[in-house]
Amino acid sequence: MRNAFVKLLAGALLTSGVLAAPAVADQRREQDSAREEMRAGNVLKQRDIERIVVPQITRRNPNLQYLTFEWDEVARAYRFKFIDNTNGHIVWVDVDARNARILRIRE
């Protein structure tokens, strides 16, 4: 019985590692792309954009809580993710990385 459990656990760990590897590679590529754009002076730093955008959004709706962001290298934009604490809905805010201008807000 213990041997079967060990095999099952080992299989689960191997499977999760194999499935997670492409996602990690994609995330690293996105980070590298954002970093290159920032170094070239094409976009603002993500933290600077956060300092500008997050307060603007939370002033509009104090029930929103900032969660995370994604980088879109084609659009040169960040997509900020908020959660509305009153109803649990996710709110996406697309921001131009060149000037921190809010492009779109979607619920």
Side-chain angles (χ1 to χ4, degrees):
M1 184 69 170
R2 180 182 167 121
N3 193 21
F5 175 75
V6 171
K7 288 181 182 179
L8 180 64
L9 181 61
L13 291 173
L14 286 172
T15 302
S16 66
V18 169
L19 295 176
V24 171
D26 287 345
Q27 188 177 33
R28 180 159 295 159
R29 187 171 23 96
E30 287 177 6
Q31 289 172 350
D32 291 344
S33 169
R35 205 173 290 118
E36 288 173 18
E37 290 287 340
M38 185 194 61
R39 285 185 186 140
N42 298 329
V43 299
L44 299 172
K45 292 180 182 179
Q46 174 259 328
R47 287 185 181 166
D48 293 339
I49 295 173
E50 279 179 337
R51 282 190 211 112
I52 295 167
V53 172
V54 172
Q56 286 179 11
I57 298 299
T58 55
R59 270 194 302 272
R60 289 181 185 188
N61 183 347
N63 296 315
L64 293 181
Q65 178 183 348
Y66 174 61
L67 297 175
T68 189
F69 71 95
E70 298 172 0
W71 167 248
D72 182 342
E73 66 182 298
V74 175
R76 286 189 180 166
Y78 285 104
R79 176 166 286 159
F80 289 90
K81 182 179 181 180
F82 293 81
I83 187 166
D84 188 331
N85 288 321
T86 59
N87 57 23
H89 290 149
I90 298 297
V91 176
W92 297 97
V93 179
D94 294 339
V95 179
D96 188 325
R98 294 168 282 207
N99 55 21
R101 187 172 63 89
I102 295 173
L103 301 172
R104 180 172 51 176
I105 299 174
R106 290 184 302 152
E107 291 188 38

